[in-house]
Every structure is written in C-alpha cells, then in structure tokens.
Amino acid sequence: MGSDSTADPIPLLTPYKMGNFNLSHRVVMAPLTRMRSYNNVPQPHAILYYTQRASQGGLLIAEATAVSDTAQGFPHAPDIWTKEQVEAWKPIVDAVHAKGSIFFCQIWHAGRVSNSIYQPNGQAPISSTDKSFTSNEEQQFTPPRRLRTDEIPDIVNDFKLAARNAIEAGFDGVEVHGAHGYLLEQFMKDKVNDRTDEYGGSLENRCRFALEVVEAVVNEIGAERVGIRLSPFTEYKESRDSNPNALGLYMANALNKYNILYCNVVEPRLLHTFDPVESPHSLMPLRKAFNGTFMVAGGYNRQDGNNAIAENRADLVAYGRLFISNPDLPKRFALNAPLNKYNRETFYTSDPVVGYTDYPFLE
C-alpha cells in the first residue's frame, strides 16, 4: 500500500483462525454470571442479551452453567443437565448463530461456593475439602462436605453429560470452568485441597480431577470443541496456591496432551477482586507452553488488548464488564468511540431488562 493508505489495522480487529472457527476479530465476550435464568432455566430475555453482543465472526462464551443439581451456587444461574434446560437454551443459541457468531457454553460446578439452600435435599455443598471459609464476607456459604474418592468419577461424568447437552442445544463447544475458586480449582490449589488420596498432595494429584474432566469432555464432544478457563494467580473465594506459577505451567503443559482448542487464562493482576492490582507475575510462560489458542482476560481496555495481540502475548482477549455495558464493543473499538460506563449494582440483579439489555448502542 502507498503512503496514502489508511492507518494500520487495529490488532484486536484482525481475523483469527481458532481451530475450525474463522473469527473476524479477537474481541471475545467473556462468560458472565447474570442471575437472570429463573429457577435455573435460561429465559427468553437472554435471546436479546446475547444477540445484542453478537457480531459476524465474533466469539461469545455463555455464562457459567451448572452441570448437575449439586453444581449450583447462585440463585437464577442457568443449568444444562435437564431436558427442559437444554430445550430452553436452543432458541438462544439459534439466535446468536443467526447473527453469525460462534457460541460456547461455560460448564461449571460451584463446589463449596454454595449454600445448602441451592443443594438437593438441603445437603452440604461438595468440595475437595470440608474446610469452611474463614472470612466474614463468605458467611453466606454453607460448610462443605469433602467428596469421597469413589464419588469423583460421578462428577466427571456430570461434566461429560453437560458437554453432550451443550452440543445438543446447538453450542459450538464448551469451556470447562477451572477458575475463580470453584470446584475444579478447589482441587487444584493447595491452600484449599488438604486431601491425602490420589487427588491431593502433589501438583500432579491436585490437577488430576480437572484433567480427568477435560479428558472426559474431549472424548465426548471432540477436542476441537473444548476450551478451559484457568486462574492460577487469583485468590477468589479464598482459593490460593503456594506456587501459582508452577500450577499454571503444569496445567498448560498437561492440557497439550488433549489437544484442546483454547486456554482462557485470567491475568495475575485480578488477584482478589475485579479491580486490577500490580502483579510481579506474567502469563507469558503459560502462553509459550500451551499449544492451542491462548486467550487472556482480566481488566483489559482497548489499548491493553491491542498491545497484547500486537506483542503476541495472546491470540484473543476476553472482555467482561465492558461487554455488559457496551453491547457493540467491537464496533466501538473499531471507531475508538467512547464507552458506556457499567453499573456494578445491576450485574447480579434478576431484572430482565435493567442493567441487562438496556445499555445504549452507538446509534
């Protein structure tokens, strides 16, 4: 091109081939719990919410979706283990596909981040441990019950069936939720996992459960449809590890055996909350170790995201809060247009419109 050519392309808005999927840009909608699936069944208002954020060739990841009746941790979060739930997802998925987007379902088990009121027969939530939370702000969670070794294959099977159900509902693939202090991470991190069986102790043992889930899901729906989310550095819900670098690197290398499509990793700067802090850690060792598509998330803005792509620190960047308040986020990034401010107060309310589908578009 001559000197009169337009400005260089914006890195975030360059195309990317993720396995069998041709993405027109690299701005991904992160999975976001919104608590608007009444009685854990996806609702018709989710059609508008997701299609507002869909774009031709864009990738959307649906909110954390429970794999079984023991997996739920929040009111009105969606499930995908009954026929009714699968059928409820279908029109949502179809509508997103009609806009030309690729749609993955994040499959999830809350583990001890739950309360007995959300559990079958009011039982204790299950976990790697029977340790309760120590901080006052986590008092809403019921003390958990440590899973017996012989029960773990049943939970693996729940993930497998949820993955099958997601494909039946029309999703293009699934993201296994191995982050944010939920069940898989409760096994992975040594400050939570105090087991003495083959699922506790060494790094290999602590990661065994998560990798068994990945293997089962891959065997069920194919590696080309499977991603995972990890957050080795975060400390959400008191889920800490004494050596997060080693944990992240071990998982990045171990996942290569299964040839999964992508790894979605939360930046170390999101340590305790959704507000970034300075961190000495980097995701680059994981980026170099993992063979598939590498996605990053955690406090990114337009400039950060462009830098991450331009400097080859990531293939894709997932945006959460900015996508909540800016349904047309890729277009705003393209035009470098001002962004709507999000209202944190309405993130987790159950209103089907307010703070959900009422954020304005550019037009």
Side-chain angles (χ1 to χ4, degrees):
M1 300 285 281
S3 57
D4 59 345
S5 67
T6 54
D8 291 332
I10 299 161
L12 278 170
L13 300 177
T14 54
Y16 177 76
K17 187 164 173 57
M18 180 180 75
N20 300 325
F21 304 105
N22 293 307
L23 304 182
S24 61
H25 59 78
R26 300 166 188 248
V27 181
V28 178
M29 180 179 171
L32 298 158
T33 292
R34 303 307 312 274
M35 297 188 186
R36 285 160 167 90
S37 297
Y38 309 142
N39 298 315
N40 311 120
V41 178
Q43 297 294 308
H45 49 242
I47 295 172
L48 180 58
Y49 171 71
Y50 281 112
T51 56
Q52 282 180 337
R53 287 153 184 81
S55 57
Q56 183 67 42
L59 172 61
L60 281 66
I61 307 169
E63 61 210 276
T65 301
V67 300
S68 71
D69 58 351
T70 68
Q72 193 53 256
F74 303 107
H76 306 309
D79 293 6
I80 195 160
W81 55 276
T82 71
K83 183 78 176 158
E84 179 192 12
Q85 293 153 1
V86 173
E87 291 302 316
W89 272 116
K90 285 181 179 178
I92 304 168
V93 177
D94 288 347
V96 169
H97 283 154
K99 291 282 291 284
S101 279
I102 293 101
F103 202 14
F104 272 55
C105 181
Q106 188 187 61
I107 54 176
W108 164 72
H109 196 302
R112 70 174 184 165
V113 186
S114 188
N115 186 293
S116 56
I117 61 173
Y118 307 126
Q119 295 296 317
N121 307 314
Q123 67 195 34
I126 55 178
S127 182
S128 62
T129 181
D130 52 15
K131 287 190 293 195
S132 296
F133 292 98
T134 57
S135 72
N136 291 334
E137 65 181 294
E138 312 297 5
Q139 290 307 306
Q140 74 259 37
F141 304 120
T142 306
R145 175 180 73 80
R146 185 194 310 270
L147 271 169
R148 299 191 315 270
T149 310
D150 65 322
E151 293 177 295
I152 291 175
D154 294 334
I155 311 300
V156 173
N157 195 54
D158 289 338
F159 275 92
K160 180 183 88 166
L161 295 176
R164 180 194 300 173
N165 285 344
I167 299 305
E168 190 193 327
F171 283 103
D172 298 293
V174 301
E175 176 178 288
V176 174
H177 199 342
H180 293 168
Y182 298 120
L183 184 63
L184 299 191
E185 205 178 72
Q186 290 159 31
F187 274 80
M188 283 189 263
K189 291 191 170 176
D190 61 10
K191 299 299 184 188
V192 183
N193 185 337
D194 54 359
R195 304 176 73 89
T196 55
D197 63 358
E198 62 262 42
Y199 293 94
S202 69
L203 192 50
E204 182 182 4
N205 281 359
R206 285 182 279 119
C207 293
R208 187 186 307 277
F209 176 42
L211 294 171
E212 285 178 352
V213 166
V214 169
E215 183 172 28
V217 169
V218 163
N219 289 341
E220 185 65 30
I221 66 170
E224 72 282 358
R225 293 174 178 267
V226 179
I228 191 169
R229 182 167 240 206
L230 299 174
S231 61
F233 298 96
T234 68
E235 300 181 355
Y236 295 152
K237 303 293 182 263
E238 299 183 10
S239 201
R240 292 182 290 277
D241 194 80
S242 60
N243 192 341
N245 284 296
L247 172 60
L249 202 54
Y250 178 87
M251 283 297 291
N253 281 304
L255 288 164
N256 287 332
K257 174 183 171 186
Y258 307 105
N259 293 312
I260 63 170
L261 182 63
Y262 73 77
C263 189
N264 175 3
V265 191
V266 179
E267 285 285 353
R269 63 190 178 194
L270 259 66
L271 188 64
H272 296 289
T273 67
F274 297 116
D275 299 309
V277 295
E278 285 294 314
S279 173
H281 302 295
S282 163
L283 296 183
M284 273 312 285
L286 280 68
R287 160 68 161 161
K288 289 174 179 165
F290 182 69
N291 292 338
T293 291
F294 196 73
M295 188 187 310
V296 294
Y300 276 88
N301 59 26
R302 180 181 186 270
Q303 189 59 53
D304 285 346
N306 280 326
N307 292 346
I309 302 299
E311 295 163 15
N312 200 29
R313 288 184 279 116
D315 300 305
L316 304 172
V317 181
Y319 289 86
R321 292 162 293 174
L322 294 185
F323 240 130
I324 287 176
S325 55
N326 298 276
D328 51 356
L329 188 64
K331 182 175 183 180
R332 287 177 190 255
F333 280 174
L335 300 171
N336 202 10
L339 301 179
N340 300 321
K341 288 187 166 58
Y342 53 81
N343 178 8
R344 200 186 293 273
E345 301 295 311
T346 59
F347 282 179
Y348 306 119
T349 55
S350 56
D351 193 290
V353 176
V354 177
Y356 191 57
T357 54
D358 61 348
Y359 282 104
F361 287 74
L362 271 174
E363 286 79 62

